[in-house]
Amino acid sequence: MGRSARRRERSDSGMRQHTRVGKAVQRRRTVLTAVAAALGMTAVLAGCGMTSGSDEVTLKLVAADYGENKGNSSQKYWDALVEDFEAEHSGIKVDVDVYSWKDVDAKVAAMVRKGEAPDMAQIGAYADYAAAGKLYSADELLSVPVQSDFLPSLTEAGELKRVQYGLPFASSTRLLFYNKKLFKNASLTPPKTWSQLAQDAGTLKARGVKYPFALPLGAEEAPAETLIWMLSGGAGYTDTAGSYTLDDEQNVKTFDWLKNKLVTPGLTGPVAPADLNRQDAFDAFTRGEVGMLNGHPTLMKQARAKGIDFGMVPMPGPDGKTSATMGVADWMMGFKQNGHRDEIGQFLDFVYSEKNVVEFSERYNILPVTTSASDAMAADSSHKALKPFIEELGSSRLYPVGKTSWAQVSAEIKKRIGGAVSRSGSPGSVLGSLQTYASAAEAAE
């Protein structure tokens, strides 16, 4: 090979080597760029609450326990529901902690105070968190079909200043329970008016019934029994504008009637209404010691377990059936703190599917909160016993839970309302003092 040819070969070889080096450098730069980009994205995702190195989001839910024991704990319901949800929604995990009703509200409040709000909470009240700007509104979370499926009375109760923040999760209403055996032995029929109710109670007392009419105005659930009677009398806790009206003239007349026609004649049993708690009254009913009392669906299960033959009718009014009955609801809410609006919305759309609402309601003898689930259960003969409650729920009126002052007012009712029907008590005076307290709390909202 000549010198000239060797020079060309060395030159070509050098060019090939330079090209290989250049390509290697470029590949290295590409890899480094990709690594840097991946690290940067990981940092961004971690900052959004994502699991490091993945797109997975873990939502935190704190919920109340509706079970009677560990075997029927709500934790089992949520575990099964979450498993189904995660199977259909890759990238979203849900961690649920269930606490007893006596602890759950305080648990969530403590988490919020520490700046560690859960993504969702299923508890007893939402208004304080909504007023503080900590919650997503319903239309920020739910699809239109799901949000519009809530029963109208429950939707309205979940609103603060006409914006829905509280998502009804479980509901209940009340019917008048009566012991069929005691009524049959006394040749009585279920009362349709207050006057007949008092007459029936008098007959039952004469026959030795311990509690002709159980009137639980003790601290456990005094606001419920109070509202039942206020609505029965034609008034309530608030007027149409939403302002407190505890000392409304009709409310005073209602409690005057209770004191003079039931309590003073000894028709409410050996325990003063101010000292009688709801569960104690339920227990007495399951022992066959109560002729009549206001009860919710869970009393059916308790009474059947003890072999009590009972009937249920709407609460009577002064001259016939009342136009409204008391309803109660517990609430689901989504907190803004962690910024998982889309993921929360996907999970709650799943929670509020007809199938899941029906399953929860069946398991815990709770009334469904959606129209679709209500219709499904009303049409199912296996839920025949719940049908009267479901029918009453449509015309129910709930506590004024959209008022941030309600928790304070409710606590004060628990302390004072029993005194309104005591021998030395004055309904007008007690309701007047409660109204003064409520007005002051309302003004401070």
Side-chain angles (χ1 to χ4, degrees):
M1 180 183 297
R3 181 179 300 174
S4 203
R6 287 195 296 270
R7 188 180 299 117
R8 283 195 304 273
E9 183 177 296
R10 284 196 297 271
S11 176
D12 290 342
S13 175
M15 289 180 67
R16 287 193 297 270
Q17 183 177 358
H18 177 76
T19 299
R20 286 194 298 270
V21 171
K23 289 181 178 179
V25 170
Q26 183 61 39
R27 283 195 300 270
R28 185 181 180 191
R29 285 175 178 169
T30 301
V31 170
L32 289 174
T33 299
V35 170
L39 290 173
M41 182 60 70
T42 300
V44 171
L45 294 178
C48 292
M50 303 287 190
T51 302
S52 179
S54 76
D55 291 343
E56 186 176 276
V57 171
T58 298
L59 300 176
K60 183 70 173 181
L61 167 62
V62 176
D65 195 352
Y66 291 80
E68 299 169 357
N69 49 56
K70 287 186 178 180
N72 194 31
S73 170
S74 295
Q75 189 71 59
K76 290 191 173 184
Y77 169 81
W78 285 114
D79 289 347
L81 183 145
V82 166
E83 183 178 356
D84 290 343
F85 172 79
E86 291 178 351
E88 297 179 16
H89 298 79
S90 61
I92 305 177
K93 299 293 183 182
V94 185
D95 180 25
V96 184
D97 285 337
V98 171
Y99 296 91
S100 71
W101 269 111
K102 65 184 179 66
D103 297 326
V104 68
D105 288 277
K107 178 68 176 179
V108 172
M111 294 172 73
V112 173
R113 281 196 302 271
K114 291 190 294 185
E116 300 172 356
D119 295 287
M120 296 164 287
Q122 186 270 297
I123 52 179
Y126 67 87
D128 285 347
Y129 300 122
K134 296 183 181 296
L135 302 182
Y136 289 114
S137 63
D139 59 2
E140 290 178 307
L141 295 175
L142 303 177
S143 63
V144 172
V146 171
Q147 187 180 359
S148 62
D149 196 26
F150 291 128
L151 294 171
S153 61
L154 301 181
T155 294
E156 183 178 349
E159 294 177 350
L160 177 69
K161 297 181 179 178
R162 301 188 181 279
V163 177
Q164 185 184 3
Y165 295 95
L167 314 180
F169 181 74
S171 64
S172 179
T173 187
R174 301 292 195 265
L175 290 173
L176 181 67
F177 283 67
Y178 65 97
N179 184 309
K180 284 187 174 182
K181 180 180 178 180
L182 297 178
F183 266 62
K184 182 179 179 181
N185 291 342
S187 300
L188 298 176
T189 57
K192 296 181 179 180
T193 65
W194 284 2
S195 177
Q196 187 185 353
L197 187 151
Q199 290 172 8
D200 287 353
T203 300
L204 291 169
K205 182 186 179 184
R207 296 183 64 87
V209 175
K210 190 172 183 178
Y211 294 88
F213 187 96
L215 183 66
L217 293 176
E220 180 184 352
E221 208 180 8
E225 189 73 20
T226 299
L227 183 54
I228 290 170
W229 281 98
M230 286 182 170
L231 292 172
S232 178
Y237 282 134
T238 58
D239 58 20
T240 55
S243 298
Y244 288 114
T245 54
L246 279 79
D247 63 347
D248 178 271
E249 180 182 0
Q250 192 57 52
N251 286 338
V252 174
K253 288 182 178 179
T254 295
F255 274 81
D256 275 334
W257 187 90
L258 281 172
K259 178 183 177 180
N260 296 326
K261 300 298 183 180
L262 289 185
V263 181
T264 300
L267 303 182
T268 54
V271 180
D275 299 322
L276 183 63
N277 282 320
R278 173 75 64 194
Q279 191 56 54
D280 293 333
F282 281 10
D283 291 343
F285 187 79
T286 65
R287 294 193 299 266
E289 299 173 352
V290 176
M292 297 172 280
L293 82 170
N294 290 306
H296 49 65
T298 56
L299 180 56
M300 295 190 300
K301 183 178 180 180
Q302 295 175 28
R304 288 191 187 114
K306 297 294 185 177
I308 300 297
D309 187 14
F310 61 89
M312 303 176 298
V313 293
M315 178 65 180
D319 303 308
K321 186 180 183 298
T322 58
S323 59
T325 188
M326 189 206 74
V328 294
D330 304 321
W331 304 96
M332 178 75 77
M333 60 212 72
F335 284 88
K336 292 180 178 179
Q337 180 176 314
N338 301 319
H340 295 151
R341 188 184 76 175
D342 291 342
E343 292 81 6
I344 294 171
Q346 290 181 59
F347 180 65
L348 292 181
D349 271 359
F350 187 81
V351 167
Y352 284 106
S353 68
E354 179 185 317
K355 170 183 175 293
N356 288 325
V357 173
V358 168
E359 182 178 343
F360 182 84
S361 302
E362 288 177 337
R363 183 176 297 198
Y364 297 108
N365 262 341
I366 296 292
L367 300 187
V369 296
T370 62
T371 300
S372 60
S374 295
D375 290 345
M377 292 183 71
D380 188 341
S381 59
S382 66
H383 301 302
K384 183 179 179 180
L386 278 177
K387 188 173 181 179
F389 290 98
I390 293 173
E391 291 173 346
E392 290 292 307
L393 189 60
S395 62
S396 66
R397 285 178 59 186
L398 283 73
Y399 298 140
V401 291
K403 301 174 75 64
T404 57
S405 58
W406 170 242
Q408 301 166 251
V409 174
S410 175
E412 205 64 19
I413 290 170
K414 290 180 180 180
K415 294 177 185 176
R416 302 191 198 182
I417 196 63
V421 297
S422 67
R423 291 187 181 276
S424 60
S426 164
S429 176
V430 171
L431 290 171
S433 66
L434 283 170
Q435 177 61 35
T436 298
Y437 181 91
S439 295
E442 185 174 41
E445 286 184 341

